[in-house]
Amino acid sequence: MDKFRMMFQFLQSNQESFMNGICGIMALASAQMYSAFEFNCPCMPEYNYTYGIGLLIIPPIWFFLLGFVLNNNVSVLAEEWRRPTGRRTKDPTILRYMFCSITQRSLIAPAVWVSVTLMDGKSFLCAFSINLDIDRFGNTSLVKGMSEMERIKLLARIPCKELFEHQEIRAAASRYIKCISQACGWMFLLMMTFTAFLIRAIRPCFTQAAFLKTKYWSHYIDIERKMFDETCKEHAKSFAKVCIHQYFENISGEMRSFHYRRSSRDGSDDDSEDKKSDEEKLLGIRAQDDMNKVLWNWHTCKPALALRKDEIDGENNGRLNGNINGAVNGFAKGHTHEVEKKEWAVYYSKV
Amino acid sequence: MERLKLVLQYFQSNSESISNGICIILALVSVKLYTSFDFNCPCLPQYNKLYSLGVMTVPPIILFFLGVLVNRHTGVMMDEWMRPTGNRSKNPAVVKYLFSAMIQRALLAPMVWILVTLLDGKIFICAFSVSVDPALFQGLPNNTGLDVIKIMAKVPCREDVIFKNSSFRKAVSRYVRCHSQAVGWSILLFLIVLGAMGRLIKPCFDDHATFLQTRYWSNYLDVEQKLFDETCVLHARDFARKCVVQFFEDMREDTVLYLPHPPFISNFREDWEEEEEERLHGITKQQQVDKLLNKWYYSKPELDVTRISHRPKTCVTWEDREGNTLYSDV
């Protein structure tokens, strides 16, 4: 059981913690990017709002899409969605579940960006300084006698420290807007946390049995894909090994029959075991010319991708009988859909 | 590395210590959040109290919800509470125990936030600077033309120009911070006394034997859920492997060998060749591989591995010369 625990922990820790780790890294990257970014309000009435609100909205969209890109499960989801039905029915709840879990993970980095931006307050200040009622903050003589355009231009310069002369009014106004911005930020965080709480804590009240089923099968789809890739790799490796082995045998056979006639293994019965295995490893290629021919042919005339089924197909009859040709005739056709049921009779002598 | 793994395994094995660890991490996050938060008192009479109240109450609510979310016991408790009775009777004491454990852990981070804000004092200064009687302190700036309320509301903002060259602001801040810290320490003392009294008096009222039972069964539910998840994951892996191998084996075809064979064919096979043949699962041609990969996309196999689980195995029958069966696997 301990071995199973270790294996489970390894599997689980790989999949989930990997995705959680990516999630956490992206959240940290989002916060770090904000602090490294140099906020630069244009301080002009036409562009302030666009810049301020754009900086609040566009990077979160970018992080959300990046979350989708970095998540491996997106391709699994797409494949499951687009595959033809074949012999396996499609379950829409599984697709919904996978989509929900991918979306939940991708939403964390954008939420971090939005909260950090709102808590910092600069983007709100840039976007909404024009809408301020300046009389509230200081002496009203500042804007008396100004036309509407001039007043707006003055208000638009509030976010820029160097461009606005009356520092105390600027300080008061920026404090006020930052307050509002932070209130919005906290409300946003409260809303997100409450929604997550509803989804996680209240959902088991409604659909627990169906949820267990979808969780199992969506995990199964992911792992089946991995198993298929693994099996294909193993198969390719074995295929390559046997193919190359047979190629060497072919070539060495041709060369042997070309050079000299000699019986295959009769003379080697007396040899020791070690020498036999070395001979086998050479696969009949013992001369420089032969090896050169092998290498040349490997490029100019690659063998077909069709492995020859050796006549001794895992059965021991050939070895017992020692009769090559008879066994070949008997087992040339392999069975298809059932595995061969092998039976043999062994004669027991009562001596 | 081995030691670290052992330590992690020890903590992971005991679900209570994981919950305690997460609880403490959340408390540290709460402190870090407070220190990194840029407190920004509006310094306007109408908004000071509102802002301070907001900063004092909204983050604890958020931290409470977070504490409930990250606690594993929440899921276990909800499952146990909402499940149909089935073959296992329900024990309300277990649900109550899990609920109280969850609430206690979730309340730690909010309390830490509230205590840190009180001990730091900025929020109190922001909220209550307008309520201070300015006559207690010297140096009230009276040349600015603003009324007293507005001046007192500006006390939390230290960079404001009206307080230059004046110790008035600092004096008022110190006074209010004093009160704030007093309230903070009192609350802390009250909580600790409450906790201590609870620990000491509880055994007098509660039935300890029942408590041992509820604690055992709540831990059992937690472990059972974890093991179920583990078993599902391992099962899915085996299922997938068998399904894929079965798919490969189903694509085997009739083999046609071309005679006569060249005479050099070896008449015995090495071990590694047996292994490789097994791994090939009978797929030995390019067209077969292409067909297999095509079929994997266009027509995925059904989710049924009964065939491979009950593969016919090689049965050996030993007979003597007359045909009498001496031994048979059949």
Side-chain angles (χ1 to χ4, degrees), chain B residues 75-189:
Chain B
V76 175
M77 181 198 80
M78 293 302 292
D79 277 346
E80 180 62 16
W81 186 30
M82 299 305 300
R83 70 173 172 94
T85 312
N87 277 346
R88 191 188 284 186
S89 62
K90 293 219 267 194
N91 188 354
V94 170
V95 177
K96 267 191 244 161
Y97 176 82
L98 286 171
F99 181 74
S100 71
M102 179 192 84
I103 292 284
Q104 279 170 26
R105 292 205 170 91
L107 278 177
L108 181 69
M111 289 317 302
V112 166
W113 174 277
I114 291 177
L115 284 171
V116 169
T117 57
L118 286 174
L119 292 177
D120 191 35
K122 283 195 289 235
I123 293 186
F124 249 51
I125 296 176
C126 188
F128 295 115
S129 65
V130 289
S131 324
V132 173
D133 181 10
L136 293 171
F137 307 97
Q138 295 169 330
L140 176 74
N142 49 7
N143 53 353
T144 50
L146 294 170
D147 48 349
V148 177
I149 296 280
K150 283 216 172 109
I151 293 178
M152 294 310 287
K154 280 185 188 291
V155 162
C157 299
R158 64 179 71 175
E159 65 279 342
D160 210 302
V161 294
I162 65 173
F163 293 116
K164 269 207 180 82
N165 307 326
S166 161
S167 57
F168 177 76
R169 190 196 69 80
K170 285 204 188 109
V172 174
S173 301
R174 259 205 305 270
Y175 175 74
V176 180
R177 178 176 276 143
C178 230
H179 279 79
S180 161
Q181 287 182 343
V183 171
W185 284 116
S186 317
I187 291 183
L188 187 61
L189 184 67

Side-chain angles (χ1 to χ4, degrees), chain A residues 35-50:
Chain A
S35 51
F37 176 70
E38 203 183 298
F39 190 87
N40 180 49
C41 193
C43 291
M44 290 194 297
E46 310 87 9
Y47 301 118
N48 270 7
Y49 185 78
T50 316

Side-chain angles (χ1 to χ4, degrees), chain A residues 30-315:
Chain A
S30 155
Q32 187 59 28
M33 217 177 195
Y34 182 81
S35 51
F37 176 70
E38 203 183 298
F39 190 87
N40 180 49
C41 193
C43 291
M44 290 194 297
E46 310 87 9
Y47 301 118
N48 270 7
Y49 185 78
T50 316
Y51 187 86
I53 298 298
L55 212 67
L56 189 63
I57 300 206
I58 302 210
I61 295 179
W62 184 79
F63 277 111
F64 183 69
L65 293 174
L66 188 68
F68 266 80
V69 164
L70 290 179
N71 198 333
N72 291 338
N73 288 346
V74 169
S75 52
V76 178
L77 172 67
E79 209 185 286
E80 179 64 16
W81 185 33
R82 299 299 306 164
R83 71 171 172 93
T85 309
R87 279 196 273 163
R88 192 186 289 182
T89 54
K90 290 214 264 194
D91 194 351
T93 52
I94 295 181
L95 294 170
R96 262 205 302 270
Y97 173 81
M98 289 170 78
F99 182 71
C100 280
S101 82
I102 294 175
T103 309
Q104 277 171 23
R105 289 214 165 88
S106 307
L107 276 177
I108 292 191
V112 167
W113 175 276
V114 169
S115 357
V116 171
T117 310
L118 287 175
M119 294 296 180
D120 195 33
K122 287 197 278 237
S123 79
F124 257 47
L125 182 63
C126 189
F128 296 116
S129 67
I130 309 181
N131 307 353
L132 274 178
D133 183 13
I134 199 80
D135 303 336
R136 213 203 282 242
F137 298 109
N139 37 5
T140 56
S141 57
L142 195 65
V143 290
K144 223 191 299 227
M146 275 195 193
S147 69
E148 191 61 27
M149 260 329 287
E150 280 177 10
R151 195 177 73 91
I152 288 186
K153 278 208 178 122
L154 181 74
L155 288 175
R157 289 210 300 270
I158 287 180
C160 299
K161 215 181 288 195
E162 319 82 41
L163 298 179
F164 197 79
E165 313 84 36
H166 313 274
Q167 287 305 319
E168 63 278 7
I169 297 181
R170 185 187 165 274
S174 67
R175 262 201 310 265
Y176 175 71
I177 293 188
K178 193 167 175 182
C179 218
I180 297 181
S181 168
Q182 283 183 344
C184 290
W186 283 119
M187 282 302 133
F188 172 76
L189 270 180
L190 183 65
M191 202 177 63
M192 297 282 285
T193 316
F194 188 65
T195 314
F197 170 78
L198 282 180
I199 292 179
R200 276 284 174 103
I202 308 289
R203 189 208 24 84
C205 293
F206 299 106
T207 51
Q208 186 63 359
F211 173 73
L212 285 176
K213 186 179 95 155
T214 42
K215 193 166 83 154
Y216 179 86
W217 287 115
S218 59
H219 178 256
Y220 172 82
I221 290 173
D222 188 26
I223 228 177
E224 191 193 42
R225 193 187 194 221
K226 284 199 189 86
M227 284 280 113
F228 184 76
D229 290 339
E230 251 182 57
T231 313
C232 280
K233 279 200 193 98
E234 274 176 23
H235 184 269
K237 194 168 161 192
S238 307
F239 200 101
K241 257 195 198 168
V242 179
C243 191
I244 291 175
H245 192 250
Q246 285 179 357
Y247 169 71
F248 269 84
E249 274 187 349
N250 263 344
I251 282 250
S252 96
E254 279 171 25
M255 281 190 266
R256 236 183 290 167
S257 56
F258 179 69
H259 284 306
Y260 43 84
R261 288 248 159 233
R262 84 170 214 176
S263 54
S264 53
R265 305 263 180 226
D266 295 339
S268 53
D269 285 339
D270 302 333
D271 285 358
S272 64
E273 283 302 317
D274 293 338
K275 236 179 149 185
K276 215 181 208 172
S277 65
D278 280 340
E279 283 276 327
E280 282 154 22
K281 279 193 193 128
L282 282 178
L283 298 167
I285 313 291
R286 276 196 225 87
Q288 182 186 21
D289 293 338
D290 293 345
M291 193 62 210
N292 285 341
K293 183 159 187 247
V294 167
L295 297 169
W296 183 262
N297 268 10
W298 184 250
H299 178 67
T300 54
C301 181
K302 272 218 163 66
L305 286 165
L307 299 179
R308 189 183 60 236
K309 247 192 156 46
D310 281 346
E311 76 285 19
I312 319 297
D313 198 16
E315 290 136 43

Side-chain angles (χ1 to χ4, degrees), chain A residues 5 178 182 216 238 305, chain B residues 38 51 230 235 276 284 286:
Chain A
R5 294 219 89 203
K178 193 167 175 182
Q182 283 183 344
Y216 179 86
S238 307
L305 286 165
Chain B
D38 185 13
Y51 181 82
E230 266 184 40
H235 182 267
E276 301 299 340
T284 50
Q286 182 184 19

Side-chain angles (χ1 to χ4, degrees), chain B residues 16 104 192-204 211:
Chain B
E16 276 213 12
Q104 279 170 26
I192 291 183
V193 165
L194 195 69
M197 297 297 284
R199 272 282 173 109
L200 287 171
I201 297 186
K202 196 160 74 111
C204 301
F211 168 72

Side-chain angles (χ1 to χ4, degrees), chain B residues 243-310:
Chain B
C243 195
V244 168
V245 168
Q246 190 176 273
F247 179 72
F248 269 73
E249 286 181 354
D250 280 347
M251 305 277 309
R252 271 193 221 180
E253 288 170 354
D254 284 332
T255 322
V256 176
L257 284 182
Y258 298 100
L259 298 175
H261 265 294
F264 56 82
I265 289 182
S266 56
N267 60 352
F268 59 90
R269 298 163 65 81
E270 299 155 39
D271 289 331
W272 73 266
E273 285 186 3
E274 300 265 352
E275 274 175 40
E276 301 299 340
E277 278 285 328
E278 252 188 55
R279 287 205 201 106
L280 286 175
H281 305 298
I283 308 296
T284 50
K285 291 208 189 68
Q286 182 184 19
Q287 295 94 312
Q288 284 176 327
V289 174
D290 286 341
K291 194 167 153 205
L292 182 144
L293 294 171
N294 204 35
K295 197 172 176 207
W296 182 253
Y297 178 69
Y298 280 105
S299 174
K300 274 219 166 61
E302 61 216 342
L303 290 164
D304 182 356
V305 294
T306 326
R307 270 173 294 150
I308 207 174
S309 311
H310 297 99

